[in-house]
Amino acid sequence: MSLEKASSIQNDKRFSREHLLSLYNQVRAFSHHLVDPLEIEDFVIQPMESASPTKWHLAHTSWFFETFVLEKFDDSFQSLHPQYAYFFNSYYLQTGVPFTRAKRGLLSRPTVKEVFTYREYVDDQVRNFIEQCDDSVWEKASEVVEIGINHEQQHQELILTDLKYLLAQNPLLPTYKKTVNVDGSTPSDINWISFSKGIVEIGNEGNEFTYDNEHPKHSTFVQDFELADRLVTVGEYLQFMEDDGYKRSELWLDEGWSAVQAESWEAPLYWFIKEGVWHMFTLSGVQPINKNEPVTHVSYYEADAFARWKGVRLPTEQEWEHACGAQPIEGNFVDNDLMHPVAASNKEGLKQMYGDAWEWTMSSYAPYPGYKPLPGALGEYNGKFMANQYVLRGGSCATSKSHIRKTYRNFFHADARWQFSGIRLAK
C-alpha cells in the first residue's frame, strides 16, 4: 500500500462522523467530570483577569461550537439565547464585540444552571448535525469540529489551573478533590544527553490534529547541545532559594528582578511556611513540599534565574523538539486523575518530556517561516498573540494525553505562574 493511500485511510477515520462524535461525547463529558466536585459558589468567581470563572469556561466552549460549527454550517440552527454570543465570546473580534474579559466574574446571570442547559442544548444540536448533515457539508465542517474538541481540552486545563488559583485565595485553602499521593522514587542526579549540531526538521506535517502555529514543517540549524534528562525538582529549587536566589539581582533579567521586587516573590506560587516547614497548596489540599517531584508554578523569569544560578540555560524550543524525537507520549496527565506532578523514574535516557509540567523554553513565541493563520475568525486563535510571550513544551499533569504532541506550542507571558510550568535545563 502506498504512503499516500495509507494517509488517506488514516484521515478518513480521523474525520469520520463516528470517530468525531465519539470524541465529542468523551471530551464534553470530561468537562463535567472535572467540575463535579465543585460547589455552586465555585463556578462564578474570577480571581484575576487571566483566570476565568469555571462557569464561563463551560459556556465559552459551547459558544465555540455554536459559532464556528452550527451557525456556519447548519442553516436550520437557532441560538438558545442570542446574547450568549456577546457574553461568552473570548477574543474573536471578527465574530462580534466580546464582553470585557476582566468583568467575567461579575456575571451572576446567566446562572450556572442556565449554563448547563446551554451546554445540553448545544450538545443536542451538534450531535444531530454530525449525524444528519450532508456529506458535502461534513467534509468542510469536520475539521472545525475537531478544532472545537481540542479547544475544549485546552479549556479543561484552564478550568483546573484557574480553579486552583481561585481556591488558593481563600484562607480556608479548600480541597478541590482528594487524590492518591504518589511519592515516587528519589531521582538520580541530572544526567546530560548530548545532541550533535546539524540541520533538523521542526514543525508538523499535518497528518494529525495540529494548530496553525505548528506549521509549516521546516529546516533549522542547531548547535551542539546537551539536555537534562529530567525536570528540575522541588529539592533542587529549594537549594536555589536557600542560596538567596530571590535576593541576588545578578541572576535575574531586568524585568524579572522588577517582578521579584514588585510582587515580593520569594518562592514558587502556592508555597508558604507553616510551623517552620515549607508547604504547598495543591488541588488535594495543603501538603508539605515533596523534594523529589518537579517544581511547578514558576515563571519564565524564575526558570531563567535558576538556570543562571546553575551556570547553564533553558533550551530553545527547536532543541526541545529535536531532542524529543520519536519518544512515546507517556507521562503523568490529567487522565491519571492525580492533578499534581510526580517524581521522575530512574530509567536511562530522557524522562518527563510529556506530562507533569509545561517546560519553559528560551524561545519567544513567533511564527515559523511561511506561517499562515487559518482563514477568518479562526485565524485569531494563535497568530495575533505572537508578541511578548515565551514558548512552553510537553504538557502537564493538567493536560489530556490525547491533546499533546511533540510539536505543540504553548505560550505565556514571562511573569505567568498559575499554570503547571516547570524547568528543564540545557547547555
Side-chain angles (χ1 to χ4, degrees):
M1 181 183 297
S2 69
L3 290 177
E4 291 82 1
K5 182 65 174 176
S7 176
S8 175
I9 291 175
Q10 183 180 18
N11 282 337
D12 285 347
K13 178 181 177 182
R14 173 181 159 190
F15 294 115
S16 73
R17 297 174 193 257
E18 294 77 14
H19 176 64
L20 285 180
L21 180 58
S22 176
L23 281 181
Y24 179 86
N25 289 332
Q26 291 172 31
V27 169
R28 296 286 281 180
F30 193 65
S31 294
H32 290 194
H33 168 74
L34 291 178
V35 303
D36 186 61
L38 302 186
E39 300 295 339
I40 197 72
E41 291 83 0
D42 298 325
F43 284 86
V44 183
I45 302 173
Q46 182 178 21
M48 64 174 174
E49 182 174 352
S50 298
S52 297
T54 299
K55 179 181 75 171
W56 186 88
H57 286 299
L58 294 174
H60 168 71
T61 50
S62 301
W63 168 89
F64 191 96
F65 285 108
E66 176 179 2
T67 301
F68 292 108
V69 177
L70 297 173
E71 289 187 351
K72 184 172 182 180
F73 297 105
D74 186 354
D75 293 335
S76 65
F77 173 73
Q78 292 185 336
S79 177
L80 180 65
H81 195 306
Q83 206 165 11
Y84 286 179
Y86 169 57
F87 286 146
F88 301 128
N89 183 0
S90 53
Y91 49 72
Y92 298 90
L93 298 179
Q94 294 181 57
T95 66
V97 178
F99 183 77
T100 305
R101 179 178 183 176
K103 295 183 177 181
R104 290 171 184 168
L106 302 180
L107 294 174
S108 61
R109 310 293 176 93
T111 65
V112 174
K113 182 179 180 180
E114 288 171 325
V115 165
F116 276 100
T117 298
Y118 177 46
R119 283 182 67 86
E120 184 178 354
Y121 179 80
V122 169
D123 282 345
D124 288 342
Q125 299 293 318
V126 170
R127 288 167 184 147
N128 288 336
F129 170 77
I130 292 175
E131 292 173 346
Q132 299 175 14
C133 71
D134 292 340
D135 288 344
S136 59
V137 174
W138 178 246
E139 186 176 354
K140 299 176 182 178
S142 57
E143 293 187 20
V144 185
V145 171
E146 187 184 45
I147 292 174
I149 291 169
N150 282 268
H151 169 259
E152 180 133 356
Q153 288 182 309
Q154 287 182 301
H155 279 270
Q156 289 168 352
E157 185 164 348
L158 289 169
I159 284 172
L160 290 177
T161 53
D162 293 2
L163 181 67
K164 184 174 183 179
Y165 189 84
L166 165 64
L167 296 177
Q169 310 313 306
N170 190 323
L172 296 175
L173 296 176
T175 297
Y176 158 70
K177 183 178 183 180
K178 282 292 184 185
T179 59
V180 178
N181 254 346
V182 180
D183 291 332
S185 57
T186 301
S188 57
D189 290 341
I190 285 178
N191 292 310
W192 294 94
I193 312 297
S194 298
F195 297 88
S196 299
K197 65 182 177 181
I199 296 174
V200 300
E201 294 292 309
I202 299 298
N204 202 298
E205 291 179 336
N207 295 326
E208 58 184 332
F209 174 78
T210 52
Y211 290 117
D212 59 11
N213 64 359
E214 299 169 59
H215 297 276
K217 189 170 185 178
H218 60 284
S219 299
T220 191
F221 185 82
V222 295
Q223 298 285 352
D224 293 333
F225 71 97
E226 295 178 74
L227 194 67
D229 67 333
R230 60 165 173 81
L231 297 173
V232 170
T233 65
V234 164
E236 289 164 337
Y237 198 85
L238 187 61
Q239 294 173 9
F240 163 74
M241 292 163 53
E242 292 172 342
D243 194 33
D244 290 333
Y246 281 93
K247 299 177 182 178
R248 295 167 56 183
S249 61
E250 71 273 15
L251 297 175
W252 295 81
L253 294 168
D254 180 65
E255 289 187 3
W257 184 244
S258 296
V260 169
Q261 303 301 301
E263 304 297 332
S264 299
W265 288 349
E266 58 180 9
L269 184 63
Y270 304 129
W271 286 33
F272 61 95
I273 293 178
K274 177 182 176 183
E275 298 176 352
V277 177
W278 279 106
H279 286 66
M280 67 171 68
F281 175 73
T282 76
L283 287 167
S284 294
V286 174
Q287 300 176 3
I289 61 170
N290 179 347
K291 293 183 179 181
N292 295 330
E293 70 188 32
V295 65
T296 52
H297 298 295
V298 291
S299 65
Y300 175 84
Y301 295 136
E302 290 163 295
D304 179 80
F306 178 88
R308 291 170 190 267
W309 175 73
K310 293 290 287 185
V312 291
R313 60 175 174 82
L314 301 177
T316 67
E317 66 167 322
Q318 291 81 9
E319 289 171 339
W320 189 97
E321 185 173 321
H322 174 57
C324 195
Q327 287 240 340
I329 300 177
E330 297 175 349
N332 174 31
F333 299 101
V334 71
D335 314 64
N336 299 337
D337 224 25
L338 297 177
M339 301 167 193
H340 193 74
V342 298
S345 69
N346 284 317
K347 70 175 184 179
E348 293 185 1
L350 291 172
K351 299 172 279 287
Q352 299 176 309
M353 292 296 282
Y354 294 110
D356 282 313
W358 284 104
E359 304 176 26
W360 284 109
T361 74
M362 63 186 296
S363 297
S364 298
Y365 180 50
Y368 287 158
Y371 165 74
K372 293 181 180 179
L374 291 173
L378 283 174
E380 299 185 58
Y381 203 106
N382 290 302
K384 70 180 185 181
F385 300 110
M386 291 177 172
N388 303 323
Q389 307 202 56
Y390 284 87
V391 173
L392 302 93
R393 293 298 192 106
S396 78
C397 57
T399 308
S400 291
K401 181 177 180 179
S402 63
H403 186 65
I404 199 65
R405 55 200 163 271
K406 77 170 184 177
T407 60
Y408 195 113
R409 307 173 77 200
N410 203 354
F411 50 92
F412 282 101
H413 293 285
D415 60 350
R417 307 209 298 167
W418 90 106
Q419 294 298 312
F420 286 95
S421 46
I423 309 170
R424 187 183 297 271
L425 301 175
K427 63 180 180 179

